[in-house]
Amino acid sequence: MAEYYDKLLGLCSFSTKEIDSLKPRLEKAFEKLGLNRQDFSRAEERVATQHDLELVGVRKILRAWLLDLLDLVLSREEGKKVVYYGYPSIQGPGMTIKAASNINLYIGCPDVVLCHTLGQIFDKITPLLEAAEKSGLPPGHGLCSLQQVRNGALALGIIPVPDLVTGSSYFCDMGSKADELLHEIYGHPAIYVDGIMDSAWGEYPQWLPERLKFLGAQIDKLYATVNDVLGIKVTQQSSEKAMQISRRFFKALGRLTKLMMADPMPVSGVESGMALNLAAASTGVSMTDGAEAIETLCDEVQARVDKSQGILEKGAPRVLNFIQPFSDPSITHMMEKAGLALSSSLVTVPPPKRDPSIQINTLGEDRAEAALRDVYHSGYGLAKRFEDAARLVNIDGVLWGYLFNCRPLAQYSHLVKQWVEKNAGIPTLSLEMDIYDSRSYGPEALKTRVEAFAEMLRARKAAM
């Protein structure tokens, strides 16, 4: 007998046999999430209109997100220890801890998982935001909506109280403040990775040796705490295993970025964004199924490129985007309908290579060094990364969509635009938005500025 969830899961690459085997877990999780027959009916239409289901790789990525949602929601009931980390997160420690674990463990970023499932698939992220606004993170105070997602999910009992929380308290200071609130409410332990974002102007990609040593010690402190609290000992072997998986991920993402640069652009930025964030937020399903799903997508997109098939007209302005909205794919689709080919993302463009002369003494320093070459260096470093990335991918414009309620990004709201336009000569749109909560910054609210930017880029291309 067909169940109310069969059609949606079939669209998301679940086989009939898999659905049958997962039935007890599915029904238990969907009950906790408050998802009913009507929600699934709406989700079927939403997935079919917002995602390119012709591509098996897209369907496999949707499957991976839904499997991670099941693991998250049921983790405590299934006897797992639970570790949450924040977003954005230094790449590596989450996967390294998972690779080192010899216990039944769920580790991931619940906020991002919920955005890509309850938000992107079911369009039901608002109840979580509203629950958080009644539970210590009130509206109108410029508080991070991503932190509200986790707060609301805990308040509603959708996700379990974790055994340990970790996050950056120097790049995203609101994350640690929100975690302190949740610690006071629920009592779970938290360990924060601290650091220093200050640097001399023009210093990037260099840094003072003390910065590497300090940030490395903070990451090593995280590993030590995981050992003390959970008995999971991170080793060189587990770190190498995690990096091997991560390298496969980013090799596939790099390939996808190159394919997205084809003219015409072969697939929506919605799909590339969904693929990118799988590596950043999930350390369960992503480690087993994630890279293979993205590789499948790459093969299918390559076939489109070979046939000169695309979703936009040939010659559409190519744009380096900061990041795709997590919960509302209609925002990205609006940008593409305006004629912008969102062909690359900042975080998929490689940072400078490691200087082989730098001495690395610990596992923490190894991850710290990689972070300092990327967006965790400084405000100048972020602006320079945009400039270097825009030059590298030969782009027509830059879309710098900064979050108004995110201090690490809002303080650079105009710096990035001024720097890229002055030093790279590339038009840049500095767009205030919210990639998690689209109640105030939905597609209609952003449409006028995006369309004007697209028209300017088209006129500029025509004149060149």
Side-chain angles (χ1 to χ4, degrees):
M1 178 179 174
E3 299 292 349
Y4 63 91
Y5 45 76
D6 286 2
K7 184 176 179 180
L8 175 68
L9 296 181
L11 292 173
C12 298
S13 202
F14 286 80
S15 68
T16 301
K17 182 178 180 180
E18 185 178 23
I19 295 171
D20 288 342
S21 68
L22 289 173
K23 184 175 179 178
R25 297 185 76 221
L26 291 168
E27 295 183 350
K28 188 182 295 184
F30 295 153
E31 182 179 0
K32 289 194 72 172
L33 290 162
L35 297 173
N36 56 36
R37 186 180 300 273
Q38 289 72 32
D39 293 319
F40 276 85
S41 179
R42 288 195 301 271
E44 290 163 17
E45 181 180 1
R46 181 174 172 85
V47 166
T49 56
Q50 300 283 3
H51 289 283
D52 197 338
L53 297 184
E54 177 185 319
L55 300 172
V56 175
V58 168
R59 296 166 62 189
K60 285 185 174 184
I61 293 169
L62 286 165
R63 173 182 172 273
W65 279 114
L66 285 169
L67 285 173
D68 202 82
L69 177 67
L70 294 182
D71 290 344
L72 167 63
V73 170
L74 300 176
S75 55
R76 184 66 70 203
E77 295 176 36
E78 294 178 343
K80 295 178 181 177
K81 293 292 184 180
V82 180
V83 178
Y84 295 152
Y85 56 81
Y87 180 91
S89 176
I90 293 172
Q91 187 70 27
M95 283 190 179
T96 300
I97 293 166
K98 179 69 174 180
S101 175
N102 57 359
I103 63 172
N104 202 10
L105 175 72
Y106 176 86
I107 178 169
C109 182
D111 339 351
V112 177
V113 173
L114 291 165
C115 283
H116 283 79
T117 51
L118 279 188
Q120 192 157 152
I121 296 174
F122 292 97
D123 193 22
K124 292 199 70 174
I125 207 71
T126 297
L128 275 61
L129 299 168
E130 291 175 342
E133 290 169 349
K134 298 175 183 177
S135 304
L137 295 177
H141 288 246
L143 300 170
C144 178
S145 48
L146 190 62
Q147 305 301 328
Q148 289 178 321
V149 169
R150 183 185 302 190
N151 183 309
L154 284 166
L156 294 172
I158 289 174
I159 63 174
V161 176
D163 296 286
L164 182 65
V165 164
T166 182
S168 158
S169 62
Y170 70 96
F171 183 80
C172 177
D173 62 331
M174 282 191 284
S176 58
K177 289 178 171 64
D179 281 336
E180 281 297 300
L181 167 67
L182 296 176
H183 166 76
E184 291 300 319
I185 297 173
Y186 301 105
H188 57 68
I191 179 72
Y192 303 116
V193 176
D194 227 329
I196 304 166
M197 290 288 284
D198 298 330
S199 71
W201 187 259
E203 186 176 53
Y204 180 84
Q206 306 301 319
W207 56 79
L208 292 174
E210 290 81 4
R211 289 190 65 187
L212 175 64
K213 186 174 182 180
F214 181 76
L215 182 55
Q218 290 287 300
I219 298 173
D220 287 326
K221 178 186 68 174
L222 164 62
Y223 291 152
T225 303
V226 168
N227 191 21
D228 292 341
V229 174
L230 301 173
I232 299 173
K233 185 175 178 58
V234 171
T235 64
Q236 183 67 41
Q237 183 179 12
S238 62
S239 179
E240 289 173 356
K241 179 180 178 181
M243 288 304 101
Q244 183 179 6
I245 295 170
S246 184
R247 281 192 292 270
R248 184 181 174 189
F249 251 114
F250 280 91
K251 180 180 179 180
L253 288 168
R255 181 185 172 200
L256 184 58
T257 295
K258 291 180 180 178
L259 290 169
M260 293 286 286
M261 293 297 292
D263 189 12
M265 190 176 76
V267 70
S268 171
V270 169
E271 318 306 358
S272 59
M274 188 173 61
L276 170 65
N277 289 322
L278 188 63
S282 165
T283 57
V285 177
S286 72
M287 291 178 71
T288 56
D289 297 11
E292 188 272 334
I294 300 171
E295 289 164 351
T296 299
L297 177 59
C298 286
D299 291 340
E300 294 174 303
V301 174
Q302 180 69 66
R304 287 189 178 180
V305 172
D306 292 343
K307 297 175 183 177
S308 296
Q309 294 178 347
I311 64 165
L312 296 174
E313 292 183 1
K314 191 174 180 64
R318 295 186 298 186
V319 174
L320 172 68
N321 192 17
F322 176 55
I323 198 167
Q324 307 289 355
F326 284 29
S327 303
D328 189 352
S330 68
I331 296 175
T332 296
H333 287 307
M334 174 274 293
M335 295 173 175
E336 291 170 344
K337 287 176 182 177
L340 294 177
L342 305 180
S343 53
S344 58
S345 169
L346 177 68
V347 289
T348 58
V349 178
K353 293 184 178 180
R354 174 176 289 184
D355 181 349
S357 68
I358 294 176
Q359 184 175 352
I360 303 296
N361 299 307
T362 69
L363 293 176
E365 287 185 8
D366 181 67
R367 291 297 84 218
E369 190 278 337
L372 288 170
R373 282 185 282 121
D374 211 335
V375 298
Y376 299 92
H377 185 283
S378 61
Y380 170 83
L382 179 64
K384 194 70 171 65
R385 276 279 283 131
F386 262 106
E387 177 198 347
D388 294 344
R391 291 181 188 276
L392 181 65
V393 295
N394 190 26
I395 215 76
D396 297 307
V398 170
L399 181 58
W400 164 226
Y402 68 91
L403 281 65
F404 85 103
N405 55 359
C406 176
R407 280 193 290 275
L409 299 181
Q411 65 180 321
Y412 313 135
S413 58
H414 301 300
L415 169 64
V416 169
K417 173 180 171 63
Q418 293 168 354
W419 183 267
V420 174
E421 290 186 339
K422 178 181 178 181
N423 293 282
I426 298 174
T428 300
L429 174 62
S430 188
L431 187 67
E432 182 179 289
M433 61 188 301
D434 189 330
I435 63 173
Y436 316 117
D437 175 8
S438 60
R439 290 177 296 175
S440 298
Y441 293 85
E444 293 305 317
L446 304 172
K447 186 176 180 181
T448 301
R449 293 196 65 202
V450 170
E451 288 181 336
F453 184 61
E455 183 60 33
M456 183 269 289
L457 291 182
R458 281 192 292 270
R460 188 172 184 266
K461 282 195 69 166
M464 293 177 69

